[in-house]
Amino acid sequence: MMNIIGQQNSRPTYIPRVSLEEASQLFTKLYDHKVDQVKTLVGYVDQNFYIKTSSRGDTEAAKEYVFKICPFIYENMKGLTDVSIKTMLYMNDCGIVCPAPVKTIKGEYIATEEVNCCRASPSSTSKKEERITQSACLVYTLTYLPGNTLEAACPKSVPLPWFKDLGQYLARIDKALMDYPHVEDIPMMTKQGQNSEWSLNTIPRYRALLHVVQDDTMRNLIESVIDEFDKEVVPKIPQLRTAMIYNDFNQNNIIVKCKGFTTKTNNDKDQHRLDIIGIIDFNDICYSCILFEIGIALAYMMYIQKEGDRLAACRQFLQGYELSISLTKTEWQLLPLCVAARCVQTILGGLYSYEQDPTNEYLRSDVEDAYGVLKYIRSIPSHEIVKYWRGQASD
């Protein structure tokens, strides 16, 4: 996908195919820790492993980590990964809990290692036969954040009051990112915001992926969003507020303390507060429009509200967000379209990536959620959505 709508690769895209045993051996080589337990975690194109180390007698207790193996999907992949690591260090300094990067025995946060990978043939849309080869990947380790993802805690719906907490939490992250201290990174991250396949800036380029949609109704709906975004949003981008943005506030990146929820019958508001432990996955950060940050987040809030009131969830979220950061008139007007645009990215990106890796069911479920939200939000006039959202958000 990156060759079509984003930055040009300096090499073909290889997908890591590292076994549990190989991951364990590589972790021990880089960090000099004996692995007691290893298991696979979900990922998009990278491979993620949960690692629990063995204790070292009375001197060191067992520890938990996330071991990440990432393909070189961009020419400047190492620089971008370095920025994500610096951002996590900065977030922790700001009191926003997120994974802490871990240095190798050589004192580096990032290593480059040759690992087993496969390359999908771009000439076929059928299930590919994987051919394993060695290719360079970026490897780094983060401390493991215990808890449950919001998706795992609430797979069908989230209590409405929790969305206000979620909105407040994203605003807290964004307020910190507005003061991102490493100003030397801004030019590179601005370019990333203009070219990354997960930046809303690149929506017009997604026309090149329309061929992956087999259903005519779905394709026409997606194309209508791209057309409207090109007409209504793109000309206004130079006037929109910009900052470093997290760019991926979704239900799989939010770690919470609860394992689920039960309906309360009393009026104790504290029992309706969401206990957020922290946030994970800073791989999509960039310098871009604050509007895009909010639109992306709202799309995911609607994805997870499968059995609840999706518009009410967004209204609560915006009420929480605006306690710290107020939206401008233009941002309000363009917000529903940006939500739809994120759905388009999820659908087209997911379908394209699923062609390349048909074994990844994580991609298929994302597409189904996004299409359901896209049909819903495009069935209601944007001005009616904004009026409803603002009625609660401006209280």
Side-chain angles (χ1 to χ4, degrees):
M1 183 166 65
M2 298 79 186
N3 278 338
I4 298 176
I5 60 94
Q7 298 165 322
Q8 293 295 315
N9 291 341
S10 59
R11 68 199 78 189
T13 298
Y14 289 89
I15 303 170
R17 283 290 183 267
V18 178
S19 68
L20 294 176
E21 182 180 358
E22 290 165 344
S24 178
Q25 292 172 350
L26 183 57
F27 182 89
T28 299
K29 169 190 166 184
L30 292 174
Y31 300 96
D32 192 27
H33 282 293
K34 184 178 179 181
V35 175
D36 183 60
Q37 182 183 354
V38 56
K39 61 184 179 182
T40 301
L41 301 174
V42 296
Y44 203 78
V45 293
D46 52 351
Q47 269 193 289
N48 300 315
F49 298 94
Y50 165 84
I51 298 277
K52 184 176 183 179
T53 61
S54 302
S55 61
R56 294 180 175 177
D58 296 330
T59 61
E60 187 175 330
K63 295 181 179 179
E64 297 174 293
Y65 300 99
V66 174
F67 186 46
K68 299 180 70 70
I69 303 176
C70 308
F72 278 88
I73 57 177
Y74 302 124
E75 290 180 357
N76 58 340
M77 188 69 185
K78 191 164 186 178
L80 295 172
T81 304
D82 181 62
V83 172
S84 72
I85 284 174
K86 286 193 285 188
T87 304
M88 284 183 276
L89 294 170
Y90 169 63
M91 287 286 109
N92 277 302
D93 287 343
C94 292
I96 297 171
V97 177
C98 66
V102 179
K103 290 183 178 179
T104 67
I105 56 176
K106 294 182 179 180
E108 303 169 333
Y109 283 120
I110 308 169
T112 302
E113 294 287 328
E114 295 282 332
V115 300
N116 283 337
C117 294
C118 73
R119 182 186 180 190
S121 169
S123 61
S124 172
T125 57
S126 60
K127 184 169 174 132
K128 323 294 191 291
E129 178 183 351
E130 293 186 351
R131 298 182 61 182
I132 301 299
T133 185
Q134 289 276 301
S135 183
C137 285
L138 291 179
V139 180
Y140 61 100
T141 292
L142 307 172
T143 55
Y144 178 77
L145 216 57
N148 295 279
T149 64
L150 184 62
E151 169 76 23
C154 305
K156 296 297 183 182
S157 65
V158 176
L160 280 178
W162 288 7
F163 286 101
K164 184 175 180 179
D165 297 324
L166 290 163
Q168 286 182 269
Y169 193 76
L170 179 60
R172 186 180 170 203
I173 292 171
D174 287 346
K175 290 281 279 188
L177 288 175
M178 287 176 184
D179 295 322
Y180 180 76
H182 303 286
V183 293
E184 69 277 8
D185 296 330
I186 299 302
M188 178 174 64
M189 301 314 291
T190 299
K191 184 177 180 181
Q192 180 69 0
Q194 294 167 346
N195 293 291
S196 167
E197 74 275 11
W198 290 117
S199 169
L200 290 188
N201 279 284
T202 60
I203 284 294
R205 304 182 208 174
Y206 271 78
R207 294 184 193 279
L209 294 183
L210 286 170
H211 68 277
V212 302
V213 183
Q214 302 301 312
D215 182 82
D216 290 342
T217 301
M218 179 190 286
R219 190 187 314 109
N220 291 337
L221 181 59
I222 289 171
E223 193 167 16
S224 73
V225 174
I226 297 174
D227 289 342
E228 188 175 344
F229 191 93
D230 215 357
K231 178 182 177 182
E232 300 295 336
V233 178
V234 172
K236 297 182 178 69
I237 287 177
Q239 287 78 49
L240 295 172
R241 292 185 297 173
T242 54
M244 284 285 281
I245 63 172
Y246 174 70
N247 204 41
D248 197 20
F249 195 73
N250 73 65
Q251 65 274 23
N252 288 303
N253 289 342
I254 303 160
I255 306 300
V256 299
K257 188 169 288 186
C258 64
K259 292 183 179 179
F261 71 91
T262 57
T263 302
K264 304 296 181 182
T265 57
N266 57 43
N267 294 320
D268 185 357
K269 293 183 178 180
D270 288 339
Q271 296 192 45
H272 291 280
R273 295 300 300 273
L274 174 61
D275 194 348
I276 302 174
I277 294 173
I279 191 82
I280 62 174
D281 193 352
F282 285 75
N283 290 336
D284 290 322
I285 56 171
C286 62
Y287 193 89
S288 189
C289 303
I290 295 172
L291 165 66
F292 295 168
E293 173 86 303
I294 306 166
I296 288 166
L298 290 181
Y300 289 118
M301 297 304 102
M302 295 181 80
Y303 291 1
I304 197 171
Q305 200 68 343
K306 297 179 179 68
E307 295 181 357
D309 188 331
R310 286 167 162 165
L311 287 185
C314 292
R315 187 170 65 180
Q316 289 281 336
F317 185 94
L318 290 163
Q319 182 182 24
Y321 191 89
E322 280 215 307
L323 289 174
S324 297
I325 303 174
S326 296
L327 278 66
T328 67
K329 180 180 178 181
T330 300
E331 288 168 345
W332 276 113
Q333 291 172 341
L334 299 177
L335 195 51
L337 181 54
C338 288
V339 175
R342 184 51 154 200
C343 296
V344 165
Q345 287 183 317
T346 303
I347 295 167
L348 292 180
L351 289 175
Y352 179 85
S353 297
Y354 189 75
E355 281 189 350
Q356 311 308 304
D357 183 14
T359 65
N360 195 333
E361 291 300 321
Y362 176 65
L363 302 173
R364 183 191 290 272
S365 63
D366 265 8
V367 169
E368 292 172 355
D369 289 344
Y371 188 43
V373 170
L374 180 60
K375 289 187 291 184
Y376 175 69
I377 200 166
R378 294 296 280 181
S379 69
I380 308 169
S382 288
H383 70 275
E384 290 186 11
I385 294 174
V386 172
K387 182 179 179 181
Y388 177 76
W389 283 349
R390 294 196 75 170
Q392 181 67 34
S394 59
D395 283 350

